[in-house]
Amino acid sequence: MKRSSVPALLSLLLCLFTVPAMATVTLKQIEWPRNFGYRIGDTVPVRLTLEVAPGWTPDRDGLPEPGQGDRQFELRSLAVADAPGRCADCRLYTLEWQLMKSVRAPQTLRLSPTVLRFRKDNAVAEIKVPAFDLSTAPLLHWASKKDIVSSVHPGYRATAFDSSAPLARALGWAGAAAALLLAALWVAGRLGAQRVRPFARAWRSVRALRGRDDAEALEQAFRALHHACNESARQTIFASTLPDFIAAHPTFADQAPALEAAFAASRACFYGLPPDPRYTQPDALLPLLAALRDRERLSARRRSVTPSAVVEAA
């Protein structure tokens, strides 16, 4: 065999084992959409009528991926439907593109050429869709950045409205909420001078121990009561000196029996004596501390009112 016949033989073998694209997938018709009046976000459907031989399927890996190129158009979907009314093996392929570019003035954009690939086993066939020009317009008409605010709603004018009534209602509700918050803080003993009053602090400390029934919690509650009495008297108060404390603070006189019982229960708790059945949990001290807190507050009010009353009498 001559060397000159080798290339011819190779070409013949290549033609025998290569499937021509036009013999397998044929472009019958392209239905272009309108070529004007597009704005950002609009879709551009391109419909292709293809005669696809049996066994050939579209290669979706060959389609353009989102974000490629200049991002003027992005392929949203590829829909395939049978079209037996056009030919026996015809199928309708719809490429739906979306305009992603916002223009400031009317402009003609070009939809780039697209290549559709089809596969059958290891054979590949390609259909080229030509480019397509279409006219786009801006979503809002404005000449410069300073005009964009007035052009947000073109053709409409902003309607002025009176905001005084809604503002007054909002301020009223805000004032009511602030008053309720201040009242809640006052009742809880967390406002003003109540934060530094001994029995108010002791009541809050014992209230935090509610629900506990262990010995450590009960000891903490009794310590809070003793600390409050010591701070109010500015000295250490024992059960033996409790009458002197009541005499120096007559505001607490009606709570003297309860204080004596609490001190006796505290002595039994700390010294291992038989416990008082009335004081087995921290919650039992809350009524006494609440009463002492309220009388402590009333006493502070009377002391603040007395100087002004003396001045007025003089």
Side-chain angles (χ1 to χ4, degrees), residues 198-230 258-259 261-263 265-267 269-270 278-290 292:
F199 287 108
R201 290 203 308 271
W203 176 79
R204 290 197 299 271
S205 301
V206 176
R207 187 182 60 172
L209 301 174
R210 285 184 303 182
R212 296 179 55 181
D213 55 359
D214 54 293
E216 182 181 358
L218 185 60
E219 291 178 0
Q220 293 179 10
F222 280 125
R223 287 194 186 97
L225 173 64
H226 287 296
H227 289 329
C229 292
N230 297 341
L259 274 172
F263 269 62
S266 174
R267 178 180 177 83
C269 177
F270 286 105
R278 295 174 296 176
Y279 295 95
T280 58
Q281 293 181 351
D283 297 1
L285 286 173
L286 283 177
L288 173 60
L289 290 173
L292 296 174

Side-chain angles (χ1 to χ4, degrees), residues 47-60:
R47 295 178 176 86
L48 309 175
T49 301
L50 302 178
E51 184 178 0
V52 183
W56 289 87
T57 58
D59 182 12
R60 295 183 180 272

Side-chain angles (χ1 to χ4, degrees), residues 92-146:
L92 182 63
Y93 287 75
T94 303
L95 298 169
E96 187 178 57
W97 300 87
Q98 186 171 22
L99 177 59
M100 307 298 295
K101 181 178 180 180
S102 177
V103 297
R104 293 183 56 177
Q107 184 178 351
T108 299
L109 301 180
R110 167 160 291 193
L111 186 60
S112 301
T114 307
V115 177
L116 297 180
R117 292 190 309 190
F118 293 81
R119 288 183 178 273
K120 182 179 181 180
D121 297 331
N122 294 329
V124 178
E126 293 184 349
I127 294 296
K128 294 183 179 181
V129 182
F132 179 65
D133 294 337
L134 49 87
S135 299
T136 59
L139 187 63
L140 302 173
H141 296 277
W142 49 284
S144 61
K145 291 184 177 180
K146 66 179 181 180

